[in-house]
Amino acid sequence: MTVSADVDNPLTQLTLDQLRRRTSVKWRLHPPDVLPLWVAEQDVPLAPPVAEALRRAVELGDTGYAYGTAYAEALGGFAARRWDWADFPVGRTTLVPDVMTGAVEVLRLVTDPGDAVVVCPPVYPPFYAFVTHAGRQVVEAPLGADLRIDHAALDEAFRRARALGPRPAFLLCNPHNPTGVVHRRDELEAVAELATRHGVRVVSDEIHAPLALTGARFTPYLTVAGAGDAFALVSASKAWNLAGLKAALAVAGGDAADDLARMPEEVSHGPSHLGVLAHTAAFRDGGPWLDALLGGLDANRALLGSLLADHLPTVSWRPPEGTYLAWLDCTGLGVPTDAPAGGVASDLAGPARMFLDRARVALSSGHVFGTGGTGFVRLNFATSPAVLTEAVTRMGRAVTG
Ligand SMILES: Cc1ncc(COP(=O)(O)O)c(C=O)c1O
C-alpha cells in the first residue's frame, strides 16, 4: 500500500502536546509522562469528510434523531469497492449503538440465558465481560500456536457448548484482536461448516475489517458459504477513530432476517445521529484518507519490527496482517506474571505493569485477553513513528537498565 498522493499520512499530523489536550481515556488514564499505546484509539486528526459532515450538522443544528439507511448504503458501497461484496443486504441491517452492544443484543436474539458463547482466546477482553453480564457462559476455543483459529479446538468447544445449552453461539473476531490475524476465506468456510454441524450461530465482530494491511485481504463472514444464519457487526469506529461517535450496524445473513426483526426497539435508540452522520461519511467518502492511514500503519509495522529487533531482541511477535495492534510475546523477559486471567481492559500485570513502572509506556496487559494471554502485551502502533520509536527505546532501556 503506497501513501495516497493527495492525503498525507494521518499518523504524522499531530504533536504530543496536541494529543495530550485530548480528554479521552487514552490520554487521561495515565499521567502526562506516560506514552499511551494501549486502548484502540488512534493518534490521528479526523478524516476531512467526517469533520465536514459533523461541521455541517452543527451549523444546521441537525442534532435530532437518526433516520434512514444512509449508513447501511455507505457501508454497502464500501463493501462492494473494497471487499467485492456486491449484494450487501441494506434491507437486512439495523442501527445499533456500537459494536459490542450490538453483538450482545444479537446474542440475546440467538441464544437464551445460560447458553454458551464460544470465543477464541486470546481475544478482546469485553468478549468475556459482556457475554457473562448478559447471563451467557463463555466457552474457550484457544487459538493455535500460529495464533490462527484452531478448528479442532473449535470443534471440541462447539461440542461442549452444545452440551451446556440448546442454543449456543460463536463470537468470532474477524479480523482478530489482539493478534491482528485476518482470517482467510478457507478458514472461515471451515468455521461455517463446523457451526452448521453443531447448530451454533455465528456472530462476527468485523470492527477492524477496513484495516487489512498490505498482504492481507479481509473476508466478510456473511459472504462465506454456509454463513446464511450468521450476523456481522460493523462500524467505522476503529478505522476512522470514531469510538466517541456512537453508531454501528448489525447485518443479518439471508436466513437470519426473522431473528433481526425481533431486535427490540430500544436498541435503535442508542446510536447518535451525529455518530450515524460521521460513520456514513467515513464509509462513503473516507477511502483516500483510509489509504493514507493504511500506508502509515504499514510503515509503522515495519518500523516496529526493526525497533523490537534493536531494543527488545528477546520479545517475539508475528507481525499483524490487519489492525494496528501488535501482540508481543514477553515471556522471554522473565518478568513474574502473578495475575489471574480475566479482568478489565485497563488492568495491568507482569510485563505491562513493568513497562508502565519502568519505561512509562502504557500497554494492554495480556492477561485480560483470556487463556494464552499471560506474559504478553498488546501494543497499539497507530501513532507517529517518533512516538513509536521513543516508546520502544524506553521499553528496551527498562529491560536492560
Ligand atoms: C474487536 C473489537 N470489538 C469491539 C470493539 C469496541 O467497539 P465499540 O466501541 O463499537 O463497541 C473493539 C474496540 O477496540 C474491538 O477491538
Side-chain angles (χ1 to χ4, degrees):
M1 182 78 52
T2 51
V3 176
S4 165
D6 52 357
V7 183
D8 292 333
N9 178 2
L11 296 165
T12 56
Q13 305 298 303
L14 300 173
T15 65
L16 258 182
D17 283 345
Q18 288 172 311
L19 288 162
R20 287 197 204 287
R21 281 164 44 204
R22 291 186 169 175
T23 57
S24 62
V25 67
K26 181 175 190 181
W27 294 97
R28 288 302 157 102
L29 185 71
H30 298 288
D33 64 320
V34 170
L35 291 175
L37 304 186
W38 62 288
V39 69
E41 295 180 18
Q42 300 191 60
D43 297 349
V44 294
L46 268 184
V50 175
E52 180 51 30
L54 293 169
R55 207 174 294 120
R56 208 176 319 125
V58 169
E59 274 163 15
L60 287 172
D62 184 12
T63 51
Y65 296 108
Y67 175 74
T69 55
Y71 188 174
E73 281 158 24
L75 173 57
F78 185 87
R81 291 191 298 279
R82 299 275 173 150
W83 308 323
D84 293 328
W85 190 357
D87 53 351
F88 179 86
V90 170
R92 288 198 309 273
T93 63
T94 192
L95 282 171
V96 293
D98 53 48
V99 162
M100 279 314 297
T101 307
V104 169
E105 292 299 338
V106 168
L107 286 171
R108 285 189 213 280
L109 298 176
V110 299
T111 65
D112 291 310
D115 279 335
V117 176
V118 176
V119 304
C120 289
V123 72
Y124 182 57
F127 275 25
Y128 291 86
F130 281 57
V131 165
T132 311
H133 185 68
R136 276 66 175 167
Q137 23 183 345
V138 172
V139 169
E140 292 191 326
L143 299 174
D146 59 357
L147 300 182
R148 307 195 77 91
I149 292 173
D150 177 341
H151 292 88
L154 199 60
D155 189 11
E156 176 52 29
F158 283 180
R159 200 185 317 278
R160 271 185 290 136
R162 192 58 200 256
L164 288 169
R167 298 214 299 158
F170 173 37
L171 186 49
L172 169 69
C173 198
N174 179 35
H176 196 91
N177 171 2
T179 58
V181 164
V182 178
H183 308 299
R184 296 186 311 263
R185 181 170 292 276
D186 61 301
E187 293 173 307
L188 295 175
E189 279 169 357
V191 168
E193 195 274 316
L194 287 174
T196 304
R197 177 139 46 91
H198 290 281
V200 171
R201 300 293 293 274
V202 178
V203 179
S204 184
D205 174 338
E206 306 195 339
I207 197 166
H208 292 280
L211 292 166
L213 299 173
T214 303
R217 185 168 172 76
F218 169 70
T219 302
Y221 186 72
L222 293 182
T223 67
V224 163
D229 68 350
F231 281 86
L233 280 306
V234 193
S235 91
S237 164
K238 290 301 118 184
W240 284 270
N241 202 40
L242 304 179
L245 288 157
K246 292 275 177 188
L249 286 165
V251 190
D255 305 324
D258 290 350
D259 292 311
L260 186 68
R262 291 186 291 106
M263 185 73 90
E265 189 193 340
E266 72 255 26
V267 176
S268 62
H269 278 237
S272 90
H273 181 39
L274 289 180
V276 171
L277 293 174
H279 289 244
T280 303
F283 278 124
R284 194 180 49 214
D285 303 319
W289 185 93
L290 177 67
D291 285 338
L293 173 73
L294 292 173
L297 291 176
D298 202 25
N300 275 5
R301 177 175 59 170
L303 173 63
L304 180 57
S306 53
L307 288 169
L308 290 172
D310 286 349
H311 298 281
L312 289 163
T314 60
V315 168
S316 62
W317 74 320
R318 287 170 186 268
E321 300 166 316
T323 79
Y324 39 75
L325 307 169
W327 184 237
L328 307 182
D329 181 348
C330 299
T331 50
L333 294 176
V335 179
T337 50
D338 44 7
V344 297
S346 55
D347 282 358
L348 293 180
R353 164 59 57 199
M354 182 275 291
F355 284 127
L356 179 64
D357 291 344
R358 296 178 52 183
R360 307 307 281 156
V361 174
L363 306 162
S364 299
S365 187
H367 77 284
V368 297
F369 292 78
T371 296
T374 298
F376 286 69
V377 297
R378 191 193 72 175
L379 182 151
N380 170 356
F381 60 87
T383 188
S384 66
V387 167
L388 189 59
T389 303
E390 171 68 13
V392 181
T393 306
R394 284 196 207 175
M395 288 162 66
R397 273 202 302 266
V399 169
T400 52

